[in-house]
Amino acid sequence: MSRTLSVRKTPAIDAALSHIMRVTDAETTTEAVARAIDLYEDWLKLQPGTTVVATGHTRRKTP
């Protein structure tokens, strides 16, 4: 299934997307947005009162 998602291009959106692209391995804007939508869908499926633990890692930037 394919749907069109329209987002108003603003400096804040551009900055946020640039940051997401730098810290993830998403190679395209479409891929970054698709991952965010998948994550949000999972979030919506959680039952009220569910404890959520976020973990992360440090990615070294290559010179």
Side-chain angles (χ1 to χ4, degrees):
M1 172 172 47
S2 178
R3 292 188 186 172
T4 300
L5 175 66
S6 177
V7 177
R8 182 169 300 199
K9 187 175 173 109
T10 66
I13 293 296
D14 284 345
L17 184 57
S18 292
H19 180 76
I20 291 167
M21 298 292 287
R22 280 193 307 274
V23 300
T24 67
D25 59 352
E27 295 181 10
T28 65
T29 302
T30 300
E31 187 178 2
V33 171
R35 288 179 184 188
I37 291 171
D38 287 344
L39 180 61
Y40 187 57
E41 179 186 22
D42 290 343
W43 174 262
L44 291 175
K45 291 176 184 175
L46 295 174
Q47 296 299 314
T50 300
T51 301
V52 177
V53 178
T55 60
H57 68 280
T58 302
R59 180 179 297 207
R60 293 183 185 183
K61 290 186 178 181
T62 357

